[in-house]
PDB file of all heavy atoms in Angstrom:
ATOM      1  N   ALA A 406     163.646 125.113  65.074  1.00  0.00           N
ATOM      2  CA  ALA A 406     162.213 125.453  65.246  1.00  0.00           C
ATOM      3  C   ALA A 406     161.488 125.536  63.931  1.00  0.00           C
ATOM      4  O   ALA A 406     160.382 125.003  63.755  1.00  0.00           O
ATOM      5  CB  ALA A 406     162.051 126.665  66.095  1.00  0.00           C
ATOM      6  N   ALA A 407     162.132 126.224  62.956  1.00  0.00           N
ATOM      7  CA  ALA A 407     161.517 126.365  61.617  1.00  0.00           C
ATOM      8  C   ALA A 407     161.239 125.007  60.965  1.00  0.00           C
ATOM      9  O   ALA A 407     160.232 124.791  60.377  1.00  0.00           O
ATOM     10  CB  ALA A 407     162.363 127.292  60.758  1.00  0.00           C
ATOM     11  N   GLU A 408     162.269 124.145  61.116  1.00  0.00           N
ATOM     12  CA  GLU A 408     162.097 122.792  60.542  1.00  0.00           C
ATOM     13  C   GLU A 408     160.978 122.041  61.145  1.00  0.00           C
ATOM     14  O   GLU A 408     160.222 121.305  60.466  1.00  0.00           O
ATOM     15  CB  GLU A 408     163.470 122.007  60.679  1.00  0.00           C
ATOM     16  CG  GLU A 408     163.424 120.694  60.081  1.00  0.00           C
ATOM     17  CD  GLU A 408     163.305 120.672  58.515  1.00  0.00           C
ATOM     18  OE1 GLU A 408     163.696 121.690  57.938  1.00  0.00           O
ATOM     19  OE2 GLU A 408     162.783 119.722  57.943  1.00  0.00           O
ATOM     20  N   GLY A 409     160.813 122.147  62.427  1.00  0.00           N
ATOM     21  CA  GLY A 409     159.744 121.500  63.122  1.00  0.00           C
ATOM     22  C   GLY A 409     158.362 121.998  62.794  1.00  0.00           C
ATOM     23  O   GLY A 409     157.363 121.266  62.802  1.00  0.00           O
ATOM     24  N   MET A 410     158.265 123.268  62.362  1.00  0.00           N
ATOM     25  CA  MET A 410     157.027 123.883  61.980  1.00  0.00           C
ATOM     26  C   MET A 410     156.672 123.614  60.553  1.00  0.00           C
ATOM     27  O   MET A 410     155.523 123.866  60.118  1.00  0.00           O
ATOM     28  CB  MET A 410     157.043 125.427  62.240  1.00  0.00           C
ATOM     29  CG  MET A 410     157.180 125.768  63.717  1.00  0.00           C
ATOM     30  SD  MET A 410     157.374 127.543  63.848  1.00  0.00           S
ATOM     31  CE  MET A 410     157.662 127.754  65.630  1.00  0.00           C
ATOM     32  N   LEU A 411     157.598 123.077  59.716  1.00  0.00           N
ATOM     33  CA  LEU A 411     157.335 122.960  58.304  1.00  0.00           C
ATOM     34  C   LEU A 411     156.465 121.774  57.964  1.00  0.00           C
ATOM     35  O   LEU A 411     155.940 121.713  56.858  1.00  0.00           O
ATOM     36  CB  LEU A 411     158.649 122.845  57.557  1.00  0.00           C
ATOM     37  CG  LEU A 411     159.356 124.176  57.270  1.00  0.00           C
ATOM     38  CD1 LEU A 411     160.739 123.903  56.602  1.00  0.00           C
ATOM     39  CD2 LEU A 411     158.532 125.027  56.310  1.00  0.00           C
ATOM     40  N   GLY A 412     156.389 120.768  58.863  1.00  0.00           N
ATOM     41  CA  GLY A 412     155.640 119.564  58.571  1.00  0.00           C
ATOM     42  C   GLY A 412     154.236 119.773  58.098  1.00  0.00           C
ATOM     43  O   GLY A 412     153.913 119.380  56.965  1.00  0.00           O
ATOM     44  N   PRO A 413     153.428 120.490  58.874  1.00  0.00           N
ATOM     45  CA  PRO A 413     152.000 120.725  58.426  1.00  0.00           C
ATOM     46  C   PRO A 413     151.917 121.513  57.137  1.00  0.00           C
ATOM     47  O   PRO A 413     151.030 121.259  56.313  1.00  0.00           O
ATOM     48  CB  PRO A 413     151.399 121.439  59.585  1.00  0.00           C
ATOM     49  CG  PRO A 413     152.221 121.129  60.742  1.00  0.00           C
ATOM     50  CD  PRO A 413     153.658 120.962  60.253  1.00  0.00           C
ATOM     51  N   ILE A 414     152.836 122.392  56.973  1.00  0.00           N
ATOM     52  CA  ILE A 414     152.783 123.214  55.731  1.00  0.00           C
ATOM     53  C   ILE A 414     153.254 122.484  54.494  1.00  0.00           C
ATOM     54  O   ILE A 414     152.685 122.592  53.483  1.00  0.00           O
ATOM     55  CB  ILE A 414     153.664 124.588  55.930  1.00  0.00           C
ATOM     56  CG1 ILE A 414     153.091 125.404  57.064  1.00  0.00           C
ATOM     57  CG2 ILE A 414     153.725 125.302  54.639  1.00  0.00           C
ATOM     58  CD1 ILE A 414     153.872 126.575  57.325  1.00  0.00           C
ATOM     59  N   ARG A 415     154.328 121.627  54.724  1.00  0.00           N
ATOM     60  CA  ARG A 415     154.729 120.822  53.594  1.00  0.00           C
ATOM     61  C   ARG A 415     153.687 119.800  53.090  1.00  0.00           C
ATOM     62  O   ARG A 415     153.701 119.447  51.917  1.00  0.00           O
ATOM     63  CB  ARG A 415     156.010 120.076  54.012  1.00  0.00           C
ATOM     64  CG  ARG A 415     157.264 120.916  53.980  1.00  0.00           C
ATOM     65  CD  ARG A 415     158.479 120.008  54.043  1.00  0.00           C
ATOM     66  NE  ARG A 415     159.720 120.738  54.035  1.00  0.00           N
ATOM     67  CZ  ARG A 415     160.627 120.677  55.007  1.00  0.00           C
ATOM     68  NH1 ARG A 415     160.476 119.893  55.989  1.00  0.00           N
ATOM     69  NH2 ARG A 415     161.764 121.370  54.872  1.00  0.00           N
ATOM     70  N   SER A 416     152.819 119.406  54.042  1.00  0.00           N
ATOM     71  CA  SER A 416     151.794 118.454  53.670  1.00  0.00           C
ATOM     72  C   SER A 416     150.813 119.075  52.645  1.00  0.00           C
ATOM     73  O   SER A 416     149.982 118.323  52.084  1.00  0.00           O
ATOM     74  CB  SER A 416     151.036 118.002  54.906  1.00  0.00           C
ATOM     75  OG  SER A 416     150.339 119.086  55.499  1.00  0.00           O
ATOM     76  N   ALA A 417     150.794 120.429  52.507  1.00  0.00           N
ATOM     77  CA  ALA A 417     149.974 121.026  51.500  1.00  0.00           C
ATOM     78  C   ALA A 417     150.389 120.857  50.089  1.00  0.00           C
ATOM     79  O   ALA A 417     149.741 121.218  49.124  1.00  0.00           O
ATOM     80  CB  ALA A 417     149.881 122.559  51.799  1.00  0.00           C
ATOM     81  N   GLY A 418     151.631 120.252  49.916  1.00  0.00           N
ATOM     82  CA  GLY A 418     152.089 119.918  48.552  1.00  0.00           C
ATOM     83  C   GLY A 418     152.431 121.155  47.760  1.00  0.00           C
ATOM     84  O   GLY A 418     153.195 122.024  48.207  1.00  0.00           O
TER      85      GLY A 418
END
Side-chain angles (χ1 to χ4, degrees):
E408 182 64 27
M410 296 176 185
L411 277 175
I414 296 178
R415 281 196 179 122
S416 64

